[in-house]
Amino acid sequence: MQDPHRRVVVAADMESYSKRNNLLQHQAQTAFRRIMDGAAADAGLDRIDWLIQQAGDGELAILPTGTSERTVAAKLAPAADRRLREHNQGLRKEAKVRLRLAVHQGLVHLDGANGFPSDAVIHVCRLVDSPELKRALRRFSGADVALIVSDSMYHEVIEHYRDLRPEQFKAVRAEIPDKRFSAAAWIYVPGENAAGDATDEAAYGMPATSPAEATAAPRPTDPIGQVFSGITTHGPAQFGNQNTMRNSNE
């Protein structure tokens, strides 16, 4: 087993993918790849060296050593939102592509037999699948992207460099009870104020969460499971078809 490497990890997932028929799923996958490639380029990121696990309705990406956490946290979601607004213009609701993005960082083993053994990978996949992020994307029906960043990413990057306005991030506790996952995190919606207020939340049937509640110490997580788009495995895992793990230059 090789030593782990500290990497930025990104998870992306399409909203309402499973509700589409086969043709719309095919079209959504094609659009997703084009949008992610273009958004990364717009943000000054090169996807050629990203290690990517595809999952049909999204992907898990392990970014190269030396990738700027500041760039990923601040530029990827707004770039994806801009491209999706152009793509979705004039499309029927069921054909539109809307994305949830999650960003975290941590130690990752790159030599797993069937994926990337890593608590950081588990964490980012559960963040992107959290009900809190799904509700945020539903709440802002005019937006095409909702971003969630880990608590450490928010405090170490967003607060310090302010490329995005920290006060527009909503403090949440991302909860997936059946996975024993609970973690403080922060949600941002490009072009919107995700922090909002209690009256905005009540209009969508969502309880308000105070920063103190959201940043309380998280409950223990499952140390050995991996989850992506609602699929949990134990031990190293390759999500999606075994032949879909790729370097995006292929």
Side-chain angles (χ1 to χ4, degrees):
M1 180 176 66
Q2 298 176 0
D3 288 339
H5 299 260
R6 186 164 297 278
R7 298 293 184 93
V8 177
V9 291
V10 176
D13 195 74
M14 282 186 273
E15 182 184 59
S16 301
Y17 178 82
S18 63
K19 296 179 181 179
R20 305 166 195 259
N21 63 31
N22 291 353
L23 178 59
L24 289 177
Q25 287 184 14
H26 191 283
Q27 292 173 350
Q29 286 190 13
T30 301
F32 173 81
R33 284 281 297 275
R34 185 178 70 252
I35 294 300
M36 289 300 296
D37 289 347
D42 292 346
L45 300 166
D46 189 349
R47 274 171 59 92
I48 289 177
D49 294 322
W50 290 22
L51 298 174
I52 295 175
Q53 290 180 346
Q54 300 167 330
D57 59 349
E59 69 179 32
L60 164 71
I62 314 298
L63 277 57
T65 298
T67 298
S68 166
E69 296 177 21
R70 179 180 177 183
T71 296
V72 177
K75 295 184 178 181
L76 185 61
D81 185 69
R82 286 192 298 272
R83 285 187 170 260
L84 281 170
R85 286 175 185 271
E86 180 179 340
H87 170 79
N88 288 333
Q89 188 172 8
L91 294 181
R92 304 188 313 276
K93 181 179 179 180
E94 62 270 22
K96 291 183 177 181
V97 176
R98 304 177 76 220
L99 294 181
R100 303 190 310 274
L101 295 176
V103 179
H104 184 40
Q105 57 79 33
L107 293 176
V108 181
H109 284 278
L110 303 179
D111 61 339
N114 197 37
F116 302 113
S118 166
D119 181 71
V121 166
I122 295 169
H123 197 95
V124 78
C125 290
R126 289 181 176 166
L127 287 180
V128 83
D129 231 13
S130 65
E132 292 74 19
L133 187 61
K134 293 177 181 179
R135 284 198 293 266
L137 193 55
R138 289 197 301 269
R139 174 188 174 193
F140 295 101
S141 59
D144 291 309
V145 172
L147 167 70
I148 188 168
V149 300
S150 61
D151 194 50
S152 61
M153 187 70 68
Y154 176 83
H155 289 297
E156 294 174 11
V157 179
I158 301 298
E159 276 193 326
H160 280 278
Y161 298 102
R162 304 181 66 86
D163 298 296
L164 301 176
R165 294 174 61 182
E167 66 272 16
Q168 292 186 345
F169 280 72
K170 178 174 176 58
V172 300
R173 177 154 289 281
E175 301 268 8
I176 305 181
D178 62 333
K179 307 299 182 186
R180 295 187 294 165
F181 179 77
S182 178
W186 299 78
I187 290 175
Y188 176 82
V189 179
E192 306 286 354
N193 182 5
D197 59 33
T199 56
D200 288 340
E201 297 275 311
Y204 288 82
M206 293 176 283
T209 305
S210 71
E213 292 171 332
T215 55
R219 292 193 290 271
T221 62
D222 179 354
I224 58 174
Q226 291 198 46
V227 62
F228 188 52
S229 297
I231 300 173
T232 305
T233 62
H234 294 272
Q238 169 70 55
F239 295 97
N241 295 332
Q242 291 184 1
N243 292 330
T244 59
M245 179 176 172
R246 66 182 181 93
N247 179 300
S248 59
N249 191 36
E250 299 175 350

